[in-house]
Amino acid sequence: MIAILGRDCTLKQKTDVVRRLEGEGYNVTVNVDGDETIVGVLGAALPGLEERLRAMPGVRETRLDVPPYALVSRAHHPETTRVRASGVTIGGDEVIVIAGPCSVESEAQIRSIARSVALSGARMLRGGAFKPRTSPYGFQGLGEEGLRLLAAVGDETGLPVVSEVVGPEDVELYARYVDVLQIGARSMQNFRLLAACGRQPKPVLLKRSHMATIDELLNAAEYVVTHGNPRVILCERGIRTFETATRNTLDVSAVPVLRERSHLPVIVDPSHAAGKREWVEALARAAVAAGADGLLVEVHDDPERALSDGRQSLTIDGFDRLMRGVRRVALAVDRTIGGAAPA
Ligand code: PEP
Ligand code: MN
């Protein structure tokens, strides 16, 4: 439930509303939207609360039709949140492109890819270290050595780094090496992992599960925020449908829906949706046209020999082409994007 306090409401009236709610045992949020102040009640409100609040001086309106994920909802917090990750801001005018290999494979590999994607305009570097593979026989990643290489190359190139953490027990280790902790599609409802990422201060890139509704994604984000970390970036990466031509079906509609329901920044991973590099650029352009605040793209210097997700990984040249194509779309929707202007 939210209470909207109008323009003429005094500071004392606002304080009285908040005190009354806290006195009754509720946790509340207070956000300003232009002339209005929105006081949100976290969790279920007991019968009669709405009437009592509405009778208080300064309260213009109360609303019950607000989502249960109060902290991440736009109803409680109308202004879009910008998440800053080591100097890069996600959720502002610039479309932030995060690029790199599915997995860190060697020092030479991650360094060569990082340098190339930076030249094409990527603003952050991705790379998996502990890989959650569908098959236990697939490449499982270099582990801590992968994180160390990622961090070192990130430092050299000036790109903040993103990597997926798979278990709550690894969160502390990751927080030492990476700038953004990724929670993968398979872990979106690992509630202990969500809580552990919520208890540390670095931004969290939360991917939508291929089996989750938009509301389930937002509830998962709420877990991270309720545990203390408001710096969450939402990521659409394709969902499972009856279609088998693509690896997943990119739910482009999730972008405007998430932006309407939540104040958190929204990015799109076209690589895990497409499953094939030929389709990645088109999906990336669609995502930016639909309002995405960023992209997460897999790039490899030798995709045919990649140890994971080579088929969907762009070549270095392919990524450069993608950046040029996406830049035109970004400009058309009044956004900017890193790197050189279109030729
Ligand atoms: C990845 O980013 O490499 C990954 C495993 O993605 P997802 O969790 O979306 O499958
Ligand atoms: Mn991958």
Side-chain angles (χ1 to χ4, degrees), residues 101-103 126 131 247 272 298 308-309 312:
C102 180
S103 305
R126 64 149 289 149
K131 293 302 297 178
R247 183 173 177 187
H272 289 84
E298 286 187 342
S308 60
D309 286 349
Q312 69 197 31

Side-chain angles (χ1 to χ4, degrees), residues 53-65:
L53 269 184
R54 223 184 290 152
M56 289 189 76
V59 174
R60 205 193 65 207
E61 170 187 353
T62 52
R63 276 179 50 197
L64 284 171
D65 62 334

